[in-house]
Amino acid sequence: MRYSGLRVIREALNGQRGWKPAWRNPEPKPNYDIIVIGGGGHGLATAHYLVTKYGEKSIAVVEKGWIGSGNAGRNTTIVRGDYTLPPNTRFYDHSVGLWEKMERELNFNVMHSQRGLLFLHHNDSERDDHYRKTNIMRMQGTDGEILGPEKLRKMYPSMNFDGRFPITGAYLHRRGGTARHDAVVWGYARSADRRGVDILQNCEVTGFRIEQGKVLGIETTRGFIGAKKVGVSVAGNTSRVMDMAGIRTPIESHVLQAFVSEGLKPIIPGQVNYGAGHFYISQSDKGGLVMGGDLDQYNSCAQRGNLPVFESVIEAAVTLFPMLSRARLLRAWGGLQDMSMDGHAVIDETPIKGLYLNGGWCYGGFKATPAAGECFAHLLSTEQPHELAKPYRLDRFRTGYLLDEKGQGPNPNRQ
């Protein structure tokens, strides 16, 4: 069943009686060739590419709740590709390219909007860093430009330019933007299901069956399911799931909170990052202002917020846009971030034969969704790392080939 404008009109005239469920709710089969653990964006994107690009047939995606109930539905929807280290720039620029054709590929509206990302600067040092970043972006074939205060005032007339930290300009990444997180999950789920992938919801993994160093399948709340290969793509639960296989990962879990205001008329055209503090804000298609800030600075697997981060985010919002003091907050949530020791992901095989890992995405998980799915599908199908994912090998923490984008060393709660 393909979606189209004509189909919408026809169903409207027919009392909406022709729509069918977007995906099935099948019972688990005894065995699959490949099982992907995690029914979020990455897991479902992996399944999509396994069938569409690599021709795999017998695939299941296993999710402990309903699809998208984890980090996929608990993020701030940002899409961008402006990284400075060459491996990261290549990977995320490729991901942006996949975002740009995602809706046509999936036949689904994921509300991808390239409205641009601003990174404000407030002093000479930040300005020089943005010039350096712009030059790096251009040298590597992607976009970046510097805006002065005059252009910024025309784009954001409601922004406070003369506060405690005066705004002197900004770096602009025009290809960046936002997308609807739930729609991304639904689009990939629908595409994978149409091509025969079994999406097993409410099927929590409780263990792995491993013999002689090889994985034979997974134990779940719905019984044992055999598999030739198992891919783990569970975001903030990476450490807990890999512990079941006896593997200790170089990853910590932290809570990242997000906040949404009541629906407002369009007032913020793009996504804005505050240079004087870790704060970012954008406006959704429904009108709500989506805001976020720092991680909670302690390890936790609890998906709930706390008052200090709430105060920090709201203070920054009102400092940057004083008019927001009159807006009402609608809801908040906490998502789990699996923070690696160098701030970047792992897409690699594990010491257990047939067991593969996609995790440690830190702040970059949502924006990496299509590229991570493609690279993980390549690994699961061919048993060889994708060219773009070679720098994201697990053994880099042993060999010292880290991807320290911020130059902060092994401080995962600061990345």
Side-chain angles (χ1 to χ4, degrees):
M1 181 177 65
R2 288 190 60 81
Y3 295 151
S4 67
L6 291 176
R7 184 63 186 270
V8 171
I9 294 172
R10 187 168 64 193
E11 292 301 330
L13 297 174
N14 194 37
Q16 310 291 351
R17 291 191 292 269
W19 299 116
K20 297 179 181 179
W23 55 85
R24 299 168 293 126
N25 191 25
E27 290 296 318
K29 297 175 184 175
N31 293 280
Y32 294 92
D33 288 343
I34 300 174
I35 290 177
V36 179
I37 303 174
H42 284 218
L44 292 165
T46 300
H48 164 80
Y49 285 111
L50 279 169
V51 292
T52 60
K53 190 168 184 177
Y54 297 100
E56 299 290 345
K57 301 296 182 183
S58 178
I59 304 167
V61 175
V62 176
E63 169 56 45
K64 69 176 181 179
W66 63 91
I67 61 169
S69 59
N71 274 12
R74 293 171 177 267
N75 65 77
T76 46
T77 72
I78 298 168
V79 176
R80 63 183 177 93
D82 58 328
Y83 285 73
T84 54
L85 292 181
N88 296 331
T89 303
R90 288 192 293 268
F91 180 90
Y92 283 98
D93 188 63
H94 177 69
S95 190
V96 170
L98 294 176
W99 277 104
E100 290 170 338
K101 59 184 180 181
M102 181 186 294
E103 292 174 327
R104 184 176 296 276
E105 181 179 347
L106 299 181
N107 180 229
F108 201 87
N109 180 16
V110 301
M111 303 183 189
H112 179 219
S113 175
Q114 290 178 291
R115 57 189 68 181
L117 270 70
L118 274 179
F119 292 81
L120 303 175
H121 53 250
H122 307 267
N123 52 51
D124 293 347
S125 175
E126 290 181 345
R127 180 204 59 199
D128 293 347
D129 183 63
H130 284 169
Y131 269 109
R132 170 179 168 272
K133 188 172 185 177
T134 297
N135 291 332
I136 290 173
M137 295 300 98
R138 291 177 175 177
M139 289 173 62
Q140 299 190 79
T142 187
D143 70 297
E145 60 186 279
I146 297 295
L147 300 182
E150 297 78 14
K151 288 186 177 180
L152 274 178
R153 288 181 187 274
K154 292 180 180 179
M155 294 174 65
Y156 293 89
S158 58
M159 189 183 291
N160 180 16
F161 284 78
D162 304 310
R164 181 180 178 186
F165 301 100
I167 297 169
T168 58
Y171 159 82
L172 174 62
H173 175 42
R174 290 193 182 275
R175 291 179 69 201
T178 60
R180 172 70 186 275
H181 43 38
D182 294 324
V184 173
V185 171
W186 301 334
Y188 276 124
R190 178 173 170 272
S191 174
D193 176 84
R194 287 172 57 199
R195 294 168 171 85
V197 174
D198 284 353
I199 299 174
L200 308 177
Q201 301 180 88
N202 300 305
C203 184
E204 184 174 359
V205 174
T206 58
F208 294 86
R209 188 173 295 183
I210 300 169
E211 294 183 5
Q212 297 180 342
K214 185 181 188 310
V215 67
L216 302 180
I218 57 175
E219 303 286 353
T220 77
T221 52
R222 298 173 70 176
F224 173 75
I225 308 174
K228 297 177 183 178
K229 301 174 185 177
V230 177
V232 177
S233 187
V234 293
N237 289 299
T238 296
S239 297
R240 292 197 290 187
V241 173
M242 296 307 292
D243 281 347
M244 299 178 190
I247 296 176
R248 185 182 179 187
T249 55
I251 290 171
E252 295 180 356
S253 294
H254 294 261
V255 177
L256 180 63
Q257 297 179 56
F259 308 88
V260 179
S261 76
E262 61 183 324
L264 303 170
K265 292 182 179 180
I267 53 174
I268 299 180
Q271 199 264 348
V272 181
N273 293 266
Y274 190 29
H278 194 179
F279 168 77
Y280 42 93
I281 185 169
S282 62
Q283 189 164 15
S284 72
D285 291 340
K286 295 170 65 177
L289 299 175
V290 184
M291 298 168 278
D294 276 319
L295 293 169
D296 285 358
Q297 302 301 313
Y298 55 87
N299 297 12
S300 175
C301 289
Q303 292 178 314
R304 59 176 180 266
N306 59 47
L307 186 59
V309 172
F310 166 80
E311 290 178 334
S312 172
V313 169
I314 299 305
E315 285 173 359
V318 175
T319 298
L320 192 56
F321 295 100
M323 63 180 178
L324 297 186
S325 63
R326 298 191 297 273
R328 292 174 293 185
L329 197 65
L330 186 64
R331 61 184 182 274
W333 61 77
L336 291 184
Q337 303 294 297
D338 48 345
M339 306 297 292
S340 68
M341 295 298 112
D342 64 355
H344 290 285
V346 172
I347 305 178
D348 201 4
E349 60 185 351
T350 71
I352 298 173
K353 185 172 177 56
L355 182 61
Y356 302 84
L357 173 63
N358 169 38
W361 284 98
C362 306
Y363 284 108
F366 182 71
K367 61 182 71 73
T369 297
E374 184 182 47
C375 291
F376 200 35
H378 182 278
L379 177 64
L380 287 168
S381 180
T382 68
E383 301 181 15
Q384 297 294 323
H386 192 284
E387 188 64 30
L388 290 172
K390 285 182 178 179
Y392 301 134
R393 301 295 295 267
L394 182 59
D395 66 356
R396 73 178 187 271
F397 299 100
R398 175 175 56 83
T399 61
Y401 287 97
L402 303 183
L403 292 171
D404 196 356
E405 179 86 18
K406 292 190 176 183
Q408 292 181 320
N411 296 296
N413 62 335
R414 299 290 184 183
Q415 299 293 346

PDB file of all heavy atoms in Angstrom, residues 5 50 73 118 134 147 222 258 278 281 309:
ATOM      1  N   GLY A   5      -0.979  11.622  -2.473  1.00  0.00           N
ATOM      2  CA  GLY A   5      -2.038  12.609  -2.333  1.00  0.00           C
ATOM      3  C   GLY A   5      -3.362  12.101  -2.864  1.00  0.00           C
ATOM      4  O   GLY A   5      -4.421  12.333  -2.264  1.00  0.00           O
ATOM      5  N   LEU A  50      19.049  -3.991   5.289  1.00  0.00           N
ATOM      6  CA  LEU A  50      19.358  -5.414   5.106  1.00  0.00           C
ATOM      7  C   LEU A  50      18.539  -6.018   3.968  1.00  0.00           C
ATOM      8  O   LEU A  50      19.048  -6.836   3.192  1.00  0.00           O
ATOM      9  CB  LEU A  50      19.101  -6.185   6.400  1.00  0.00           C
ATOM     10  CG  LEU A  50      20.197  -6.117   7.469  1.00  0.00           C
ATOM     11  CD1 LEU A  50      19.699  -6.692   8.784  1.00  0.00           C
ATOM     12  CD2 LEU A  50      21.462  -6.836   7.001  1.00  0.00           C
ATOM     13  N   GLY A  73      12.073   8.178  20.555  1.00  0.00           N
ATOM     14  CA  GLY A  73      11.009   9.120  20.878  1.00  0.00           C
ATOM     15  C   GLY A  73      11.370  10.082  21.984  1.00  0.00           C
ATOM     16  O   GLY A  73      10.513  10.807  22.488  1.00  0.00           O
ATOM     17  N   LEU A 118      22.203  27.228  13.584  1.00  0.00           N
ATOM     18  CA  LEU A 118      23.059  28.346  13.991  1.00  0.00           C
ATOM     19  C   LEU A 118      23.843  27.974  15.244  1.00  0.00           C
ATOM     20  O   LEU A 118      23.283  27.421  16.197  1.00  0.00           O
ATOM     21  CB  LEU A 118      22.221  29.580  14.308  1.00  0.00           C
ATOM     22  CG  LEU A 118      21.814  30.528  13.183  1.00  0.00           C
ATOM     23  CD1 LEU A 118      20.970  31.651  13.790  1.00  0.00           C
ATOM     24  CD2 LEU A 118      23.013  31.100  12.461  1.00  0.00           C
ATOM     25  N   THR A 134      34.233  26.514   9.667  1.00  0.00           N
ATOM     26  CA  THR A 134      33.696  26.803   8.333  1.00  0.00           C
ATOM     27  C   THR A 134      34.680  26.393   7.251  1.00  0.00           C
ATOM     28  O   THR A 134      34.296  25.778   6.242  1.00  0.00           O
ATOM     29  CB  THR A 134      33.385  28.305   8.214  1.00  0.00           C
ATOM     30  OG1 THR A 134      32.377  28.661   9.161  1.00  0.00           O
ATOM     31  CG2 THR A 134      32.886  28.647   6.818  1.00  0.00           C
ATOM     32  N   LEU A 147      27.970  34.309   9.751  1.00  0.00           N
ATOM     33  CA  LEU A 147      27.022  35.421   9.681  1.00  0.00           C
ATOM     34  C   LEU A 147      27.406  36.489  10.696  1.00  0.00           C
ATOM     35  O   LEU A 147      27.738  36.181  11.847  1.00  0.00           O
ATOM     36  CB  LEU A 147      25.608  34.935   9.973  1.00  0.00           C
ATOM     37  CG  LEU A 147      25.013  33.855   9.056  1.00  0.00           C
ATOM     38  CD1 LEU A 147      23.589  33.542   9.483  1.00  0.00           C
ATOM     39  CD2 LEU A 147      25.048  34.287   7.598  1.00  0.00           C
ATOM     40  N   ARG A 222       9.350 -13.990  25.327  1.00  0.00           N
ATOM     41  CA  ARG A 222       8.466 -14.782  24.478  1.00  0.00           C
ATOM     42  C   ARG A 222       9.146 -16.065  24.026  1.00  0.00           C
ATOM     43  O   ARG A 222       8.755 -16.675  23.034  1.00  0.00           O
ATOM     44  CB  ARG A 222       8.003 -13.952  23.273  1.00  0.00           C
ATOM     45  CG  ARG A 222       7.200 -12.719  23.695  1.00  0.00           C
ATOM     46  CD  ARG A 222       6.881 -11.788  22.548  1.00  0.00           C
ATOM     47  NE  ARG A 222       5.913 -12.340  21.627  1.00  0.00           N
ATOM     48  CZ  ARG A 222       5.405 -11.664  20.574  1.00  0.00           C
ATOM     49  NH1 ARG A 222       5.783 -10.408  20.353  1.00  0.00           N
ATOM     50  NH2 ARG A 222       4.545 -12.234  19.772  1.00  0.00           N
ATOM     51  N   ALA A 258      14.923  16.819  27.697  1.00  0.00           N
ATOM     52  CA  ALA A 258      14.401  17.704  26.658  1.00  0.00           C
ATOM     53  C   ALA A 258      13.072  18.273  27.131  1.00  0.00           C
ATOM     54  O   ALA A 258      12.374  17.666  27.956  1.00  0.00           O
ATOM     55  CB  ALA A 258      14.224  16.963  25.341  1.00  0.00           C
ATOM     56  N   HIS A 278      25.598  25.350  27.145  1.00  0.00           N
ATOM     57  CA  HIS A 278      25.102  24.241  26.326  1.00  0.00           C
ATOM     58  C   HIS A 278      23.568  24.290  26.316  1.00  0.00           C
ATOM     59  O   HIS A 278      22.900  23.752  27.192  1.00  0.00           O
ATOM     60  CB  HIS A 278      25.593  22.909  26.881  1.00  0.00           C
ATOM     61  CG  HIS A 278      25.396  21.788  25.903  1.00  0.00           C
ATOM     62  ND1 HIS A 278      25.771  20.499  26.159  1.00  0.00           N
ATOM     63  CD2 HIS A 278      24.862  21.773  24.650  1.00  0.00           C
ATOM     64  CE1 HIS A 278      25.489  19.731  25.135  1.00  0.00           C
ATOM     65  NE2 HIS A 278      24.927  20.486  24.210  1.00  0.00           N
ATOM     66  N   ILE A 281      17.724  25.144  20.770  1.00  0.00           N
ATOM     67  CA  ILE A 281      16.274  25.307  20.665  1.00  0.00           C
ATOM     68  C   ILE A 281      15.863  25.311  19.197  1.00  0.00           C
ATOM     69  O   ILE A 281      16.588  25.804  18.330  1.00  0.00           O
ATOM     70  CB  ILE A 281      15.825  26.624  21.359  1.00  0.00           C
ATOM     71  CG1 ILE A 281      14.294  26.730  21.369  1.00  0.00           C
ATOM     72  CG2 ILE A 281      16.468  27.842  20.723  1.00  0.00           C
ATOM     73  CD1 ILE A 281      13.785  27.865  22.257  1.00  0.00           C
ATOM     74  N   VAL A 309      18.833  20.695  35.835  1.00  0.00           N
ATOM     75  CA  VAL A 309      18.914  20.799  34.373  1.00  0.00           C
ATOM     76  C   VAL A 309      17.738  21.601  33.836  1.00  0.00           C
ATOM     77  O   VAL A 309      17.888  22.419  32.927  1.00  0.00           O
ATOM     78  CB  VAL A 309      18.958  19.397  33.733  1.00  0.00           C
ATOM     79  CG1 VAL A 309      18.847  19.495  32.210  1.00  0.00           C
ATOM     80  CG2 VAL A 309      20.247  18.683  34.118  1.00  0.00           C
TER      81      VAL A 309
END
